Amino acid sequence: MPKFFTEKNLINENTLEIRGEEALHISEVLRIKPGEEITVGDGDENDYVCKTVSVKKSEILCDIIEKKKNENEPNVKITLFQALPKGDKMELVIQKCIEIGVVEIVPIDTRNSMVKLKGKEEKKIARWNKTALSAAKQCRRGIIPEVKPLMSFKDAADIAVEKFDGALMPYECERVNSIKTFAKGFKGKSLAIFIGSEGGFDQSEVNYALSKGISTVTMGKRILRTEAAGLAASVIILYEAGDLS
């Protein structure tokens, strides 16, 4: 049964509506007909099993058959602070990390980032959020993880230590603290993970992170590409938290 999302203000006691691009996708791409069943999420961890009543390009009207709590959200809420990578790698990062359970992605501008958005930020963020929506639907998430506006590394580090229960930074020069040890000892509910670009983090950024209390960790003998590091780190954390067992 395909999964879609709608706004909470379009949900009533017995019916709901789907509008905009989601409605267009249902009617024109999937060609779902009246009488077919679909699942609709409200973005707040509630799912509605529905039967389509009216299918139009601009609006889908559904009867609600059943409301149930979505059980697919992880116990540890991971926010990925991802340094801007080259090419289309950010699309891959967003897609796969959301599929695995990351709840939020924040692109960050770092000293070694070779990509600068230069006036293209709004367009890029909008595109990345479409990727996030698609990934959330594919893996039947209870929320639509958001891709936030671009942030400086310093601002991101400050926010991470103020608003999260913990923060870590995979770092190729770390030799003592392993991400496995960190994961086993982490008892919080929210975690910030910092991933560098192709050139890694500048030493000044590492020093600032350490000064703020962000933990540098090693992920083993092999150095991962930027598009793989965030996914691998998230998998380890969620596995140790029991979300992937």
Side-chain angles (χ1 to χ4, degrees):
M1 188 185 303
K3 171 76 179 278
F4 305 95
F5 284 93
T6 193
E7 298 174 19
K8 292 181 73 173
N9 63 344
L10 297 179
I11 302 173
N12 299 309
E13 184 176 353
N14 298 312
T15 64
L16 63 78
E17 298 176 27
I18 304 171
R19 298 176 183 172
E21 293 188 10
E22 284 283 78
L24 190 64
H25 184 69
I26 291 171
S27 61
E28 297 296 298
V29 179
L30 299 180
R31 298 187 180 278
I32 289 176
K33 304 299 182 184
E36 294 188 44
E37 290 189 6
I38 60 175
T39 299
V40 182
D42 63 5
D44 195 25
E45 299 188 39
N46 297 306
D47 284 342
Y48 301 81
V49 178
C50 302
K51 181 176 289 187
T52 55
V53 175
S54 173
V55 179
K56 301 177 182 178
K57 289 183 180 180
S58 59
E59 181 183 86
I60 312 296
L61 178 63
C62 301
D63 284 338
I64 297 173
I65 300 173
E66 178 187 7
K67 176 184 176 181
K68 55 187 178 180
K69 185 72 173 178
N70 182 286
E71 302 291 345
N72 297 340
E73 290 306 305
N75 294 320
V76 177
K77 309 302 182 185
I78 295 175
T79 292
L80 178 68
F81 290 88
Q82 172 69 51
L84 290 173
K86 294 187 293 185
D88 294 330
K89 293 177 182 178
M90 193 66 169
E91 300 273 350
L92 180 63
V93 170
I94 293 166
Q95 182 186 67
K96 298 307 175 186
C97 286
I98 285 176
E99 288 178 8
I100 205 64
V102 169
V103 302
E104 187 177 62
I105 297 174
V106 182
I108 55 174
D109 188 18
T110 63
R111 286 181 177 270
N112 292 335
S113 294
M114 300 178 69
V115 175
K116 305 296 179 182
L117 296 186
K118 295 180 180 178
K120 300 178 181 179
E121 180 180 345
E122 187 175 338
K123 185 177 179 180
K124 284 284 190 180
I125 297 298
R127 177 180 172 182
W128 290 339
N129 273 300
K130 287 184 179 180
T131 300
L133 172 60
S134 178
K137 289 160 59 177
Q138 189 277 326
C139 61
R140 306 184 75 81
R141 293 287 298 268
I143 66 169
I144 306 172
E146 185 178 0
V147 182
K148 294 290 190 178
L150 181 68
M151 187 177 292
S152 71
F153 174 81
K154 183 178 181 298
D155 286 346
D158 291 344
I159 287 174
V161 297
E162 291 171 4
K163 296 186 176 181
F164 293 80
D165 295 334
L168 67 83
M169 173 188 288
Y171 180 47
E172 63 270 22
C173 294
E174 177 61 57
R175 295 291 182 266
V176 178
N177 301 317
S178 72
I179 190 170
K180 182 177 180 179
T181 300
F182 180 98
K184 284 183 175 294
F186 183 68
K187 303 303 180 184
K189 293 296 184 180
S190 62
L191 178 68
I193 297 179
F194 284 79
I195 301 296
S197 63
E198 289 82 357
F201 286 109
D202 183 82
Q203 187 61 50
S204 64
E205 293 167 336
V206 176
N207 292 341
Y208 187 78
L210 289 170
S211 75
K212 301 295 291 187
I214 296 173
S215 301
T216 55
V217 298
T218 176
M219 291 177 60
K221 298 178 181 179
R222 293 169 292 281
I223 297 177
L224 302 180
R225 292 180 181 270
T226 183
E227 63 268 32
L231 177 63
S234 299
V235 166
I236 293 168
I237 295 296
L238 293 175
Y239 177 80
E240 291 295 344
D243 281 308
L244 297 178
S245 59

